[in-house]
Amino acid sequence: LQEAATMARNIDGLFIELGTREGGSLQYIMDGIMDGDTEEGRTWNVVSVDPYGHIPYRYMDKEHRFNYTNDMKKRAMQNIYGYAIDKPINIITFPVTDEVFFEWCKDGVPVYDWNKGIKNEYAFVFLDAEHTVYVVLWELDWFLPKMLDGGVIVIDDMDFYSPEQIDLFVERCASFGMIEHWRGAK
């Protein structure tokens, strides 16, 4: 995950994780962004999307509650913002489902850094929300048209999917000119 974020660090787009949970992955993403010299005055915008609230999730085509409570959200946000202190990273959090995020931000994510603006292009996407084929394809369909050249998409837990399902993801990405760099743990 860190290596994938490093691959995208020089692309001027949003970095996003769907399914933040406790924030450990966002720390790896931030480490990847910071891997190397940083440009003077550059700030990376890192978006976190996770509703928390102990709501039901679809996981492996079954509904579960994973104890992603609002208390977990408080600890996660404390850890994420604490980790970003003294780094040129602007954390933007959305405590909502991916469906709500997609509706709210269909025209872009509000970004406030010296000026207000809207950004609707992505350098890095980490899909770690609901682990169903339908949802991953839907998320890819939303992000792929917004990906910048050289951008990176990471799909979590690929070992949960059959080879045919993985081929669907790869083909969907290829239809937008993205190529598979690696599969599985690296």
Side-chain angles (χ1 to χ4, degrees):
L1 187 60
Q2 183 174 335
E3 185 178 338
T6 299
M7 290 173 59
R9 73 181 295 278
N10 293 320
I11 301 169
D12 191 21
L14 296 167
F15 283 65
I16 187 168
E17 177 181 26
L18 298 185
T20 303
R21 195 171 171 230
E22 293 183 285
S25 295
L26 270 185
Q27 292 179 7
Y28 287 122
I29 292 166
M30 286 187 262
D31 287 345
I33 290 169
M34 303 310 318
D35 187 13
D37 294 330
T38 58
E39 302 169 32
E40 183 71 30
R42 165 115 191 244
T43 299
W44 284 265
N45 295 293
V46 177
V47 180
S48 163
V49 178
D50 201 316
Y52 301 95
H54 197 51
I55 65 173
Y57 283 86
R58 298 280 314 157
Y59 182 77
M60 301 306 297
D61 294 322
K62 294 180 184 170
E63 194 168 279
H64 301 274
R65 290 184 190 266
F66 289 111
N67 206 27
Y68 297 172
T69 65
N70 287 323
D71 284 337
M72 176 188 276
K73 175 177 64 176
K74 291 179 226 173
R75 287 188 305 275
M77 294 303 109
Q78 180 181 21
N79 292 337
I80 291 164
Y81 282 98
Y83 199 76
I85 292 287
D86 298 325
K87 292 178 176 74
I89 292 176
N90 177 33
I91 303 291
I92 305 166
T93 57
F94 288 90
V96 298
T97 64
D98 47 2
E99 183 177 29
V100 171
F101 174 79
F102 289 170
E103 178 60 30
W104 285 1
C105 297
K106 64 181 172 271
D107 297 322
V109 173
V111 174
Y112 302 97
D113 186 24
W114 293 95
N115 295 296
K116 60 182 180 179
I118 300 284
K119 293 202 179 268
N120 201 24
E121 295 179 313
Y122 292 82
F124 179 89
V125 173
F126 182 37
L127 303 178
D128 189 16
E130 290 192 21
H131 288 58
T132 62
V133 174
Y134 169 79
V135 170
V136 172
L137 289 170
W138 173 63
E139 292 168 345
L140 287 171
D141 287 341
W142 198 86
F143 282 110
L144 283 165
K146 298 169 179 63
M147 292 301 296
L148 291 165
D149 287 343
V152 175
I153 295 178
V154 176
I155 301 171
D156 192 48
D157 295 325
M158 291 292 280
D159 56 331
F160 291 171
Y161 304 104
S162 72
E164 296 79 20
Q165 292 168 330
I166 293 170
D167 288 344
L168 288 173
F169 303 153
V170 172
E171 289 168 14
R172 190 68 52 96
C173 291
S175 71
F176 283 85
M178 297 191 78
I179 60 168
E180 183 178 8
H181 285 279
W182 66 79
R183 186 178 298 185
K186 183 166 186 200

